[in-house]
Amino acid sequence: MNYNDYVPVFNKFKEKYKKDIELLLGVEVGYRKHLKNEIEEIINSNPFDFILCSTHTIDNIPVPSKVYFKGLSKEDAYYKYFNSILETNREFGDYNIYGHLDYISRYGIYSDNRVIYNDFKDVIDEVLK
Ligand SMILES: [Zn+2]
């Protein structure tokens, strides 16, 4: 994303609509461990009002590619996903909310891709803490 373009365009609209609505400058961080320093530099050098952190990749494999699920049971794939969120929380806590915790269920290759709370209660409870 080109923040040098994003912020000025945002500011233009924030000013234009300031009588009608308060616009907040936001960004979604698809956290990846090897990009931690770059992510923090971007966050610290832009005036974000709101940061959404998300998990889109696990072990550098994009979840939507479905390669991630290959050879993994649903239980293993989903636990690994939720544990990666816990790891992100330990490494990177500079955000306001965590995005789409059910992201994994969009791309699963199983007969039932839903995240059933009771099946993953222990790790989901840790994530929600
Ligand atoms: Zn996202």
Side-chain angles (χ1 to χ4, degrees), residues 70-125:
K70 205 168 184 178
L72 293 177
S73 67
K74 176 183 174 181
E75 183 181 20
D76 289 344
Y78 284 33
Y79 264 108
K80 204 169 165 184
Y81 168 73
F82 286 116
N83 282 320
S84 77
I85 292 172
L86 291 174
E87 189 178 334
T88 297
N89 273 325
R90 284 190 293 270
E91 294 173 6
F92 176 74
D94 194 15
Y95 62 86
N96 299 102
I97 65 168
Y98 216 92
H100 48 61
L101 290 173
D102 64 341
Y103 189 73
I104 193 85
S105 66
R106 296 182 199 172
Y107 304 102
I109 57 171
Y110 312 103
S111 58
D112 180 354
N113 289 324
R114 293 177 299 164
V115 174
I116 307 295
Y117 172 71
N118 283 334
D119 294 345
F120 303 95
K121 182 182 185 317
D122 54 343
V123 73
I124 290 174
D125 284 350

Side-chain angles (χ1 to χ4, degrees), residues 28-30 52-56 99-100 103 106:
E28 179 181 17
V29 172
L52 174 76
C53 185
S54 303
T55 296
H56 301 124
H100 48 61
Y103 189 73
R106 296 182 199 172

Side-chain angles (χ1 to χ4, degrees), residues 13-81:
F13 285 102
K14 182 178 176 101
E15 179 65 24
K16 183 176 179 180
Y17 295 107
K18 72 180 179 187
K19 288 179 185 168
D20 302 316
I21 189 170
E22 179 185 7
L23 294 177
L24 300 176
L25 184 65
V27 67
E28 179 181 17
V29 172
Y31 184 79
R32 296 176 76 169
K33 189 178 201 161
H34 70 283
L35 298 175
K36 183 178 191 280
N37 291 340
E38 187 179 335
I39 290 167
E40 287 177 341
E41 187 178 318
I42 290 167
I43 287 172
N44 292 330
S45 59
N46 287 283
F48 295 119
D49 299 304
F50 185 86
I51 297 167
L52 174 76
C53 185
S54 303
T55 296
H56 301 124
T57 61
I58 301 168
D59 297 335
N60 290 319
I61 303 170
V63 172
S65 75
K66 299 188 186 295
V67 171
Y68 165 71
F69 298 97
K70 205 168 184 178
L72 293 177
S73 67
K74 176 183 174 181
E75 183 181 20
D76 289 344
Y78 284 33
Y79 264 108
K80 204 169 165 184
Y81 168 73

